Amino acid sequence: MMLEFDNYIKQYRTWPTIGRTIMAQYNENEIVVYQAYNEKIARFAAKNGHFGGDFSFERMTWIKTNFLWMMYRSGWGSKSNQEVTLAISIRRDAFEYMYHNAVSSSFSSANEADLSIWKQKVRESDIRLQWDPDHDPFGSNLKRRAVQIGIRGSTLRKFNSDWITNIEDVSNFVEQQKRNIDNNNISSLILPKERPYVFKFDEKVELLQL
């Protein structure tokens, strides 16, 4: 999936300002998620179209659909071991499988009747879901909430071997846009195009034979 870009202010005027919203770039079959790594891990992934080398499959890794949330997390590529930003295109059915089968990272009595049951689900699940405050280009919290999904174990291996369709190193683009942030030139800021995500499948339907 080829990334598309547009002016930040133009996009911002169309975005929701509150509530839990999956902001993403996607088409009929794919959705873009973001991760940031050190140069060695990221270069391997971008070259080979999958993770390997120094990448650890023993830890949980987190994917983010929202570019600005990724920029907040990585400091626009300035934080240690997050210097290289990857735009990873994955299958939409895989993304929705992860979302619908995730266990929340934090206990909520509104979603789980029993704390002990939630703890058991956390121990047994390969997938986590977390809603965090979204952020503006300068890192300030917004009222809108952004999603991130954590994966490990067999789900992470399946993600790496079957669900990724393309990996693009966008760190040069990040560096260019960081200059606009550093110079407070918000009117010139360009970002990947994003819109609220609309689910393609019914969560009650078996999406994938994994």
Side-chain angles (χ1 to χ4, degrees):
M1 179 176 176
M2 295 294 294
L3 277 176
E4 298 181 8
F5 303 90
D6 205 350
N7 178 266
Y8 163 70
I9 293 179
K10 178 182 176 183
Q11 294 194 72
Y12 173 79
R13 290 170 177 159
T14 69
W15 290 346
T17 58
I18 60 173
R20 293 180 173 183
T21 306
I22 301 175
M23 298 298 300
Q25 182 167 148
Y26 60 98
N27 60 25
E28 179 66 18
N29 298 310
E30 297 167 295
I31 179 173
V32 177
V33 299
Y34 297 96
Q35 293 188 300
Y37 291 101
N38 63 45
E39 185 169 328
K40 196 169 185 181
I41 291 175
R43 302 297 184 215
F44 180 100
K47 178 181 179 180
N48 294 283
H50 61 84
F51 290 94
D54 286 359
F55 181 84
S56 174
F57 287 93
E58 304 307 314
R59 301 172 56 189
M60 180 163 283
T61 187
W62 293 83
I63 60 175
K64 304 158 183 66
T65 68
N66 182 315
F67 180 79
L68 282 179
W69 204 103
M70 184 73 260
M71 293 302 97
Y72 165 76
R73 182 68 180 84
S74 71
W76 287 87
S78 66
K79 293 184 179 180
S80 177
N81 288 318
Q82 299 186 64
E83 297 89 352
V84 182
T85 304
L86 299 177
I88 305 168
S89 298
I90 66 173
R91 290 162 42 185
R92 278 184 69 182
D93 56 358
F95 172 77
E96 296 192 15
Y97 171 86
M98 289 186 286
Y99 181 88
H100 291 313
N101 287 278
V103 176
S104 176
S105 291
S106 58
F107 175 75
S108 169
S109 58
N111 298 322
E112 297 285 349
D114 187 275
L115 178 61
S116 62
I117 293 176
W118 170 78
K119 287 182 177 180
Q120 182 178 351
K121 288 181 178 180
V122 167
R123 287 193 298 270
E124 296 175 349
S125 176
D126 280 347
I127 314 172
R128 302 279 188 281
L129 186 141
Q130 188 166 307
W131 290 98
D132 301 286
D134 209 342
H135 299 270
D136 71 13
F138 298 100
S140 298
N141 284 8
L142 302 176
K143 293 182 179 180
R144 187 176 63 236
R145 308 288 286 190
V147 72
Q148 61 172 329
I149 296 175
I151 53 176
R152 67 179 181 183
S154 60
T155 301
L156 175 56
R157 291 189 288 274
K158 193 75 173 176
F159 172 87
N160 190 54
S161 63
D162 293 349
W163 296 347
I164 294 173
T165 60
N166 186 60
I167 300 179
E168 183 178 354
D169 176 354
V170 294
S171 50
N172 287 337
F173 169 76
V174 169
E175 183 179 355
Q176 293 167 7
Q177 299 310 312
K178 185 177 185 298
R179 296 193 196 107
N180 287 320
I181 299 300
D182 292 342
N183 296 325
N184 202 31
N185 187 12
I186 196 70
S187 63
S188 297
L189 182 63
I190 302 296
L191 299 180
K193 280 186 178 181
E194 292 181 355
R195 56 193 166 115
Y197 186 79
V198 177
F199 281 86
K200 184 176 181 179
F201 301 97
D202 188 320
E203 65 178 300
K204 296 180 181 179
V205 175
E206 287 292 333
L207 303 181
L208 295 170
Q209 295 297 320
L210 298 179

